[in-house]
Every structure is written in structure tokens, then in C-alpha cells.
Amino acid sequence: MKNYLTFSHIAPLIIALFLSIFCVKTSHGLTLILTIVPTTVIALIFYYIIIDIKDTKSLFRDNIMITYLAGIAIHFLQFAEEFTGGFHAEFAIKGSFIYRLTKEIYNTTPYTTTGFLFFYMVAYAILIIALIGFVRKEKGSLFFLSFFVMTGLIGNGIQHIVYAIMVGGYFPGLVFSIIEFIIGIALIFQLVTSEKDNKIQV
């Protein structure tokens, strides 16, 4: 019988709970509650699935790390596309799509440019620091990879595609968010098939 009271099982659960509570407490209206909290839960479930059914060593393969790094790089570019495209500026423009979105759907006032930048920089710092655990082959670090896949790549990609559909055209961040979505799917495929790949090479 497997022991589920290990650090690699408990620590990610505590982190996910803390992150969810933090989002609920600091969210402007429903912004983080409707976006970060659901993807955090999905990421935690996916993390438990892969560490339970996969050989841990196969999850730390070089190709997975390379795709993870590529995802972070594209996420930086997607942030640049958002910022230079005026995504952050629309938060303060009454009548703009983002302003109406935050008021009507998220039931809140828009985030400031400072808050927007702070949120992204903290997220990037955590994702990069998580690489230390990945290099050391710490099983718990895979939770951050799972979180990035579900929230930063797939979730963000879907969100921007939906925004583009809602405005009926281009929306700042759309181009690189599509690439993020593709990389997210690729990472899931690599994680799910990692054991198979490992056996082929033996």
C-alpha cells in the first residue's frame, strides 16, 4: 500500500491551499477566484495523478525541462505582447473591454499597472526558483510545473482566445497565448508518456 503522508504529497497540498486562500483574500472581486483558484485545483489533481502512476525518474527528463523553459520564455514574450499592446492601460480606461470585463464579469474595479506588473514578476520568480527543485529531482517541484501548465500556459491561452472572441478581433497577448496553449498541451503529453519514452531508450 502506498504511503500518501509524504512530503511530496503534503507540501503541494499545503501550497495549493495557501495559494487559493491568498487569491481569495487578495482578489479584486472574482478575478483570481475565477481564474487562479480553479486551475490550482486542476494542477494539484494532475500532479497527484502523474506522481502516482509514473516512474519519478522519467518525469525529470531533459526534454520536459526544455519544454518547461520554452514555456517560461514564451510567457515572458506574451507578457511583453500584453504590455506593449496596451492590455494593462485598458484597465484604467472607462468603457474599454477590460474595464467592462472586470466590472461586469469579475464584479470589481480594475487592477493598477503597478499591481499588474507585481503579480507577473512574483509569478515569474516562483517559476524560475522552482527550477532548482527540478534540477535536484525533487518530486514536489513537479507541482509548480503542473501549476504553470494549467494556469500559465493552457489557462492563460484559453482566457486570451475567449477575450479575442468576445471583442471580435485581436486582443493584446493573443498571439503568444496561442503558442503557450500549444506548449502546455505538449508538456502534458510529455509528462503522460514519459515512462513509455524511458522504456524505449532502455
Side-chain angles (χ1 to χ4, degrees):
M1 183 176 180
K2 290 186 177 182
N3 179 18
Y4 293 103
L5 297 178
T6 63
F7 178 80
S8 60
H9 283 86
I10 296 175
L13 176 61
I14 294 174
I15 293 172
L17 286 173
F18 175 80
L19 180 59
S20 297
I21 293 172
F22 177 80
C23 288
V24 171
K25 294 292 185 180
T26 62
S27 177
H28 283 208
L30 301 175
T31 51
L32 299 181
I33 296 173
L34 293 179
T35 55
I36 305 299
V37 174
T39 52
T40 299
V41 174
I42 294 172
L44 185 66
I45 294 172
F46 181 69
Y47 164 75
Y48 283 141
I49 290 174
I50 60 174
I51 67 168
D52 189 55
I53 66 174
K54 292 294 176 183
D55 173 23
T56 304
K57 292 181 180 179
S58 70
L59 296 172
F60 292 100
R61 295 169 61 84
D62 289 344
N63 64 331
I64 293 177
M65 176 178 277
I66 290 171
T67 308
Y68 177 69
L69 288 171
I72 293 178
I74 293 298
H75 204 54
F76 268 109
L77 293 174
Q78 196 265 340
F79 169 73
E81 183 189 356
E82 281 186 343
F83 199 78
T84 56
F87 179 88
H88 66 293
E90 290 201 24
F91 278 98
I93 302 175
K94 290 186 177 182
S96 69
F97 170 72
I98 286 296
Y99 190 90
R100 286 186 286 108
L101 183 72
T102 54
K103 290 290 288 182
E104 297 171 12
I105 297 180
Y106 294 135
N107 190 31
T108 184
T109 54
Y111 283 90
T112 63
T113 301
T114 301
F116 180 72
L117 287 171
F118 179 79
F119 177 80
Y120 265 93
M121 293 306 106
V122 170
Y124 289 137
I126 293 173
L127 292 174
I128 293 173
I129 291 173
L131 282 172
I132 297 174
F134 197 93
V135 171
R136 291 170 57 87
K137 293 181 171 55
E138 298 288 346
K139 188 184 294 186
S141 66
L142 292 169
F143 169 71
F144 293 98
L145 188 152
S146 179
F147 175 78
F148 179 54
V149 168
M150 299 304 173
T151 304
L153 297 178
I154 294 178
N156 194 48
I158 293 174
Q159 190 175 13
H160 278 76
I161 292 171
V162 170
Y163 287 171
I165 293 172
M166 290 174 72
V167 300
Y170 173 77
F171 187 80
L174 174 64
V175 176
F176 282 104
S177 69
I178 294 174
I179 301 175
E180 284 180 330
F181 180 81
I182 295 171
I183 292 176
I185 297 298
L187 261 173
I188 288 179
F189 179 79
Q190 287 179 328
L191 289 167
V192 171
T193 61
S194 59
E195 192 171 3
K196 183 187 296 183
D197 293 341
N198 192 48
K199 289 179 178 179
I200 290 174
Q201 291 191 355
V202 172

